[in-house]
Every structure is written in structure tokens, then in C-alpha cells.
Amino acid sequence: MSVNHTSSKQMIKPQARNRIRPKDKYTLFLMALPFLALAFVFSYLPLYGWIYAFYDYRPGIPLSKSEFMGFDWFTSMVSNEVQRQEVMRVLRNTFAISTLNILTSVLPVVFAVFLAELRSAKFKKLVQTLTTLPNFISWVLVYSFAFMLFSVNNGFINHFLMDLGWISEPLNVLASDDHTWLSMTLWSVWKGLGWGAIMYIAAIMSIDQEIYEAARVDGAGRFRLMWHVTIPGIMPTFFVLLLLSIGNFINNGMEQFYVFQNAMNMHNIEVLDLYVYNIGMTNSNFGFATAVSLLKSLVSLFLLFVANSMSKVIRGESIF
Amino acid sequence: MKKRLGSSALLILICAIMIFTAACSSSNNGGNTNGSGSEADSGNGAGGEREEITIDVFSMLANYAGEQPGWFAKLVKDKFNIKLNIIASNLAGGQQKIATMMASGDMGDLVVFGSNGKDYQDAIKAGLLLDWTKDDLLNKHGQGLLENAPEAIEANKKQFGGGTAVYGIGFDVGTGEGPSEGATMTYGPNLRWDLYQKLGSPEIKTLNDYLPVLKQMKELEPKSESGRPTYGISLWSDWDGNYMTLAKVVAQFYGYNEGDGLNPAGLILTHQNKDEWQGVLDEDGHYLEGLKFYYDANQMGLLDPDSLTQKFSDVSSKFQDGQILFSHFPWVDNVYNTPERTAQGKGLALVPFSEEKITSYGQSPYGGNRVWAIGAKAKDPARIMEFVNWLYTPEGVMESNYGPKGLAWDIDENGKPFVTEFGWKALPANAEPVPAEYGGGTFKDGTNQINNTTLKLTNIHPETGEPYDYNIWNSTLTHNPDPVTKSWREAMGVMTAKEYFVKNEMIEVSKPFFTTETPATPSAQMQQMTTGIGKIIKEYSWKMIYAKNEAEYDQLKEEMISKAKGLGYDEVVQYEVELAEKTVFPNR
């Protein structure tokens, strides 16, 4: 992560002076082995499961007795005009929500920076706890919470606004297709803001206090300090997380969209993961689900490489 | 130092290897213990002092997981020295749980399938189910089955066992003719009887006639008991499959039913006893009629605006509070029709429309599509067989449904059954405390949690000469009816809902049919296509109900039909109709 050419210079010297002896090599290898084994077992071995993308697999019946499908599952997604439109719609939703998520990923940064400026430690702790808490609530509970707030019959918000006389007819927020992408993004921001800020708070903590003092001596005010010291201090963290989220562009999960989906917002809420669930998993169609996830892995890998090399070119930094 | 490092690395490695190998071999261990479990068989036969065993009951219908509690547990323990550990896919994982159980190669000891379709047939193919003819199990331990449900065993053998093996038995095995329902039918519609009476019982000829009546009822009672607004109709979407379930219910008011009664239901509705079918998207079909009905209801301000976003449990609590004036199914009324309310004359009761031809399920000696089966790796198949056998005997039917004799029910000196004082408080499943000698706990918790039936409850008990179902015992019908029931009986001139439909010939009963064909298992592509179309139908159906005006409604309808056709609707319908014409229509 650190800037490449300087670190490589530093690395050369000790290596030349202190060559690893053959005996140490085995010790080091043995020490790394459990982790290599873990990576192999949990990251590479499961790739064998990709074979299911080419079969009509039914649980309980061994693969050797299952029907071989070739590339049928891959082509079924684009088999006719209406089907193609469906896939395009799903991809549009996926990209839109991912883009919004990436745009809003600066919010935790801003939040962390301002949180760090709070003087009262007690208040800071309180705010941090309250904003981190939603991350631990499952989406199912978030939905029932949303239903309590927004239901037409007995929703808190509708009661409140009607009591105030601001609206005459109850709003039906959950069963509407207005700004679905935006509202989904807001829900996930609400849920993830505090949690996302933790990393940045840690990064801010590790900024050398002397830099702040030096800046203060130079006459920097509070906002100057934030702009010239804090922000540059957490930029590397931000970019690493940004690269990873670009790599995850096509996976935006399904729980959130699964619980919030209904006929009204289906058109705009159905992202790729949810589509696969709705079409494949509800039928136990593991072949189709595997085929899509195989494609997704390839796309993610490609995106990560692209983002990484862009970062190398633009910022001279990269994650690998 | 280096040595120590090396040895600690080795230690970690060994630990890791042990963890992996332990994880891998656990399934083999399971297999071994199952194998040795069969030794316990030898000690059986004698009855009485048998070793206690706990069997895993994997029920796709159960809504309770864990050890069976209460009076049913005590019954089974006393009779068979068996404890039931219930695994419920409904509660955790659903279809995925079923897939996991099947992939693991062990489906438990007693298996209850929700349908005889793909899962059941795949389980047989994969060798996960026990053949009951093996070791002569069925003849040795299943005499009750052979006596009380011989045709069901035979049907299962021909349909699924290639004519030789028996892998299970269907539920609801019945004899005789006519509707198989008890006092009430499966469908309604039911209205708030007290309000309907207050309006002078206006005549309801067609489905749409309900709407003005509901409007007047809503005006009579704009607020529920807790001060919330009342709604004519409230819907829920969590039961939707390939279409909106509650719009399909409208077809069931007209003698149609989903699917064809044998093959998995997809996109067609077939008539209960005529060889007629309609696709769900047929212009003049009952499904679209249902959508229009709800659309009109919404236009008149009668539809609960939360219908789309709420779940059945939300609707149930709205019923409980008295917010809803119309019910599709009589069995959702229970939460409102409490003794306190019915004593005040308030309650939901059947108000049919004159055009109605209610869908009724006839008696079938071949059994229905929910299957009892025994797992291939069952610990002690003979004792499980005995248990299933008991469930299919008159004694087992009575006791597994209503508890041990003498608790909630008893037989009088003339040999006729009657509900005891305790029974009136406890039945069908109330939280009434049960005396410790009968197993303790509440009656509700102690009910048979496997949640599958055996013999049809409307069959006649050979010893009492009355049906098994306590709701239609003579002693029950004459027992002190509440004001709502009383006034309903007086107005309708009959004792029960079933009697009304039969008397007025407003009923379409399905005929039992026998076929050696197994229910079709559509190819994965066909299924995927059906689901894709179903998604479109569901989405547009709900949008149509909430459409702002007629023009938007029609436009959405056109879009739905053209999109569904683009995804292969006609192909799916044709496939299903061909199946029905080949396997169902000629056999009934």
C-alpha cells in the first residue's frame, strides 16, 4: 500500500545483508502453511462448485447422474427479446444503486472527520455508539421497523404528519416506486454510516499529533487542519476501500432489496443478486444461480484489475 | 528459538488438519451409528419395555421445531416409547433447508413431504426413502394402513414405486362421495354477520354486489374496537406464488382450482369436475375477474392500503381487532370470533353470493399429495412404521387430533362421541392448561406439531358411526350455539356452511381419480420460465389493483399480457394443458 519505489529501496538493503538461510525458509513456510491451507480450502476449493453451472443439479442426486446442460444456463439469460430487456433492467438497477453507494461512500469520511473534532469525549462516544448500532440490526428487522414507521394504517410518520395537519391523506412510502434507488441508498447509508466511519476514525487516530501542532503553529484554523492534515491522512484508506467497492460493483447483496421488494417497486429495486434469488433459488435451480455467480466473479475480478491499474496510473498507488 | 517457532508452527498445522478432517469425517460417523442402530430391532416385538428412542421428524408442513411437547408427546411416549424431534423447514430455510437435507443424504427418520412433486420424487431417485415392502415391514407393522387405506398404499406403489415398492402414503385418505370438508368449507366469503344483519341482509347475486354492501358496513362501523379505521377487504402478498394468490381465490368461488390436481400448479386453473381449464391471463377468466374486483374495491375506498406491504400475520392481527369486514377463508375468522364477541352477537359468518359454485375437495381413497415417508437411514424403521400405522387407525386419528380419550372428548353410554367441558375450552387449539397426568403444558402447545393428516376427518368412525371431526358430531351441533351461529342458522335454514352449499347446489366437488402416472416434474428450464412469467404477473397484478383509473388499469393489463407472452406464457400453458389432458381428464 505504501508508495512502491521508496519501500523497494529500503527492502533491498536488509535482504542483501541478511539472506534467509535455507533452514529458516522451511520454518517460515511451515508458519505460513496453515494460512495457505485455509485460503486454499475456503477460497480455491469452492471454485470446484462452478461445475454445477453446467448441470441440472438436484440435491441428493449425484452429479454423475444429473443432466449435462452445457452453456444453457448462461444463454438462458438472453434467450429472447423480453428476457434481454429483463436482464438490462436488472443490470441498470444494479449499476444505479452501486453508483449511488460509491458516491455516498464519502459520507462516512465526512462523518468521521467531524466526529474527530468533537470536544466532549462522552458525547463523541454516544454519537458513535448510536450510529454504529444500526449495522447490527438485520435487514428483516429494519423492514419491520420501516413498516411501523411508514405503514398507512398505523404508521408513526403518517400519524404524526396528519396530526400536524401537513398532509390530509396518509402517504404510502413503502408501496411506491418514487425514488426507489435513492431511498434504498438512504436506508443503507443510515445502516452503515457509523460502521463505515470506524476505519476512518482509526486512521485519524494514527495521524501524528505533531503535524497538527506544526500546522497550528503555522496559524491553521480548525477547518484548515481538517482540510490539510486530516483529509490527506485518511485518503489512502479511502482509496483502498473505494477500489474494493469498485470491485464489488456488481454485487450489491440481496437482503436489503429482498425485504423491501414489492410489486410496486419491483421494477427498480430488483438488482442482480435479488433477480437470481427470485428466479433461481426459489426453484432450487442451483445450476442457473451458479452460472450467474460465475459470471459475476469474472466481472468483479475484471473491474478490480481495471480500478487497480487506474489507481496506479492516476495516484501512483495500488493495492497489489 | 527457531526450534520452538518450528514446533509451534507444526502444532498449528496439526490443529488445522485435525479440524478439517474432523469436519469431513463427521458424516461418515453419522452413517455408522445409523447402521448399528438397527440392532435395536431384535429387542422389539415383545412390546412393553422397549428402549426409548428419539426420532427426527422432518416435516415440510410443521410450524414448530424442536421436541414435541405436551399431551401428544405423552401419548406417543406411553404408546411407543418414542420421542419426536421435529425439524421444520417452514421455520428455517424453506426450500433451501429441504435441499440441504437432501444433499446431506439423510432426511431424518420420519419424513413428511408437502407435495408428491419434485422433492418427493427426487428423494426416491436419490435413495433417501425407505421401501416399506423391504423386510416385509408393511405387512408386519402396517396392518392398520393396509386395512384403512389400502387404495392409498396401492396408488403410491403404482405411481412412485414402479408397481413393487412403497415409499410413502398420501394424506387425507377418504371414502364415499360428496364434499370432504367438515362444518365449514375452505373458502368463504364471510362477512361481519352482525353488520350485514343490521343492513337488512341485502341480496348478493354477483361477486361485485359485495362492494356496495361492504361500503355500507364500513359506514356503519368506521372504526374498530381500538379506534383504527375499518377496511372492507385486506389482502396480503406473502402467499403469492406464480400469481397473486388472493386473486386466484376468486376462481375458487367458481369451482375452479389451481393446477389440475395431479401435476404441479403453474399458470392454469382447471374445473373441479368438468374437463375445462383457463389460463390465469384469459381475458374472461376468473383470475382477471379477481383483479378487477379488488381494483373496484380500491376505487371505492374499501381496500386496505397496506395490502401490498403487509404480511399475513399483520392481517391476522387486523382481523383480531375487527378492522376487516370481509374474509376469503372461514378459518381466518377464529381470531375475531372469540366467545366474548360472539356472545355480544358480533362475528364473521358465511354470506355466499347466489352465483357462487364453491370449490370443494372430494373424498379420495388414494390420498392427497402430502406424503408420509420413512427415511432410508431411519434408526428403527419397524417402530416408526408402527407409529405411522397407528396414525392411520381410528384410535390414532381421534387421539392425535383431539387428545387422549377422556380429556377433551369422550364416548357416552350410547357409544356416541361428545366434547367434554374441558374440550369446549381447549378445542381446537386453545391455550388451556392441561392436567399433568395428560402431559401438562397448554392444549395448544401439546397439539400434534407434525401438521399432516392421515385419514380424512369427515370419514365415519367405524365404532361411533359419527365422523371423526368433532365439529359435526350430533352432540356438538346441538350444543348451545352462540348468538351469531344461532342467528346465522335461522337465516340460512341450515346447520352448517357445507350443508348450505350442498342443499343449494352451489358446490363443485372434485372426483377422485386414479392414474399410474406420476405427477410431472417440469424441466428446470420450464420451471425457470414459469417463475419468470410469474414474477411479471405478480408485479402487474398488484399494480393493476392500485391503478388510478380504468385507463391505467387496462394499460397495465395489456403490458402484463404482452410481457408474459414474450417470456413464453403460451408455451407454459400449452405444456400444462397437455399434461392435464393426458393424465388427469381421462382418468376422472
Side-chain angles (χ1 to χ4, degrees), chain A residues 179-228:
Chain A
H179 316 294
T180 305
W181 295 340
L182 201 62
S183 58
M184 282 303 112
T185 311
L186 288 179
W187 278 110
S188 67
V189 166
W190 170 76
K191 196 167 182 292
L193 187 68
W195 180 254
I198 287 184
M199 273 227 237
Y200 300 118
I201 292 172
I204 292 171
M205 294 298 173
S206 67
I207 296 174
D208 197 342
Q209 284 303 314
E210 284 178 21
I211 305 180
Y212 283 102
E213 280 157 24
R216 251 181 237 123
V217 171
D218 288 346
R222 241 184 160 180
F223 285 96
R224 288 265 156 202
L225 284 179
M226 276 155 73
W227 188 249
H228 291 290

Side-chain angles (χ1 to χ4, degrees), chain B residues 116 120 124 132 150-170 366 368 371-372 514-515 518:
Chain B
N116 55 10
Y120 179 55
I124 293 174
W132 294 2
E151 281 137 315
I153 293 279
E154 204 55 29
N156 196 285
K157 192 189 272 182
K158 291 206 171 115
Q159 273 186 294
F160 303 102
T164 51
V166 177
Y167 289 106
I169 181 167
Y366 313 111
V371 183
W372 295 88
F514 178 71
T515 171
T518 44

Side-chain angles (χ1 to χ4, degrees), chain A residues 5 34 55 61 64 89 96 106 139 152 155 159 163 191 195 218 274 276 297 305 311:
Chain A
H5 45 269
Y55 285 91
I61 298 177
S64 53
R89 174 180 66 86
V106 288
W139 277 112
V152 177
H159 265 276
D163 286 349
K191 196 167 182 292
W195 180 254
D218 288 346
L274 181 59
V276 172
S297 302
F305 273 107
S311 161

Side-chain angles (χ1 to χ4, degrees), chain B residues 68-72 399 401-404 407-409 422-423 425-434 440-449:
Chain B
Q68 166 74 43
W71 58 261
F72 187 62
E399 298 202 321
N401 279 291
Y402 306 131
L407 179 64
W409 61 280
F422 176 85
K425 284 182 276 176
L427 288 171
N430 297 331
E432 186 69 20
V434 172
T442 68
F443 193 80
K444 183 184 180 190
D445 295 339
T447 51
N448 176 357
Q449 303 285 7

Side-chain angles (χ1 to χ4, degrees), chain A residues 48-110:
Chain A
Y48 167 75
W50 279 3
I51 197 170
Y52 290 100
F54 304 97
Y55 285 91
D56 178 10
Y57 172 70
R58 291 178 178 196
I61 298 177
L63 215 50
S64 53
K65 286 188 196 158
S66 302
E67 195 191 340
F68 183 72
M69 304 285 292
F71 281 91
D72 274 16
W73 294 132
F74 296 89
T75 52
S76 74
M77 291 210 329
V78 287
S79 54
N80 69 46
E81 188 50 38
V82 183
Q83 189 65 53
R84 274 193 289 277
Q85 281 171 12
E86 282 287 286
V87 173
M88 286 317 289
R89 174 180 66 86
V90 168
L91 286 179
R92 199 182 62 223
N93 295 336
T94 310
F95 291 158
I97 291 178
S98 286
T99 311
L100 283 172
N101 274 335
I102 287 179
L103 289 181
T104 51
S105 64
V106 288
L107 292 178
V109 179
V110 177

Side-chain angles (χ1 to χ4, degrees), chain B residues 132-191:
Chain B
W132 294 2
T133 60
K134 209 177 100 190
D135 302 333
D136 220 15
L137 261 184
L138 188 59
N139 287 328
K140 274 194 210 148
H141 304 284
Q143 277 309 318
L145 284 165
L146 292 169
E147 201 176 300
N148 299 312
E151 281 137 315
I153 293 279
E154 204 55 29
N156 196 285
K157 192 189 272 182
K158 291 206 171 115
Q159 273 186 294
F160 303 102
T164 51
V166 177
Y167 289 106
I169 181 167
F171 83 132
D172 269 2
V173 177
T175 50
E177 299 231 323
S180 68
E181 287 85 357
T184 56
M185 307 297 287
T186 316
Y187 311 99
N190 290 10
L191 296 180

Side-chain angles (χ1 to χ4, degrees), chain A residues 21 24 27 30-31 33-34 38 41-42 56-61 69 72-73 76 80 82-83 86 89 143 147 151-154 172 174-175 262-264 266-267 270 275 277-279 281-286 288, chain B residues 2 5-6 9-10 12-13 16 20 95-96 99 102-103 118 122 125-126 128 228-229 231 304-306 308-311 314 318 323 521-525 527-528 531-532 535-536 538-539 542-543 546 563 566-567:
Chain A
R21 280 169 298 175
D24 288 351
T27 320
L30 275 180
M31 282 170 78
L33 196 61
L38 279 177
V41 168
F42 289 108
D56 178 10
Y57 172 70
R58 291 178 178 196
I61 298 177
M69 304 285 292
D72 274 16
W73 294 132
S76 74
N80 69 46
V82 183
Q83 189 65 53
E86 282 287 286
R89 174 180 66 86
Y143 180 76
F147 188 73
S151 85
V152 177
N153 170 50
N154 202 30
N172 202 346
L174 293 174
N262 58 48
M264 294 299 160
M266 187 62 101
H267 192 77
E270 206 173 26
Y275 180 74
Y277 180 85
N278 283 343
I279 292 281
M281 297 304 273
T282 44
N283 276 333
S284 299
N285 190 340
F286 296 105
F288 175 71
Chain B
K2 262 170 224 147
L5 263 184
L10 265 177
I12 293 171
L13 182 67
F20 293 140
Q95 190 59 38
Q96 267 101 302
M102 286 177 66
K118 191 171 140 222
D122 281 350
K125 259 186 239 159
L128 299 173
R228 297 191 180 141
Y231 300 112
D304 181 351
D306 283 327
L308 176 57
T309 44
Q310 67 194 351
K311 307 247 179 291
D314 299 314
K318 284 183 181 175
Q323 277 186 276
T521 51
S523 69
Q525 291 103 318
Q527 264 195 341
Q528 190 176 349
T531 324
K535 241 163 46 68
I536 297 286
K538 269 186 292 186
E539 179 185 338
W542 283 99
K543 282 187 177 164
Y546 284 106
K563 269 200 178 180
L567 289 172

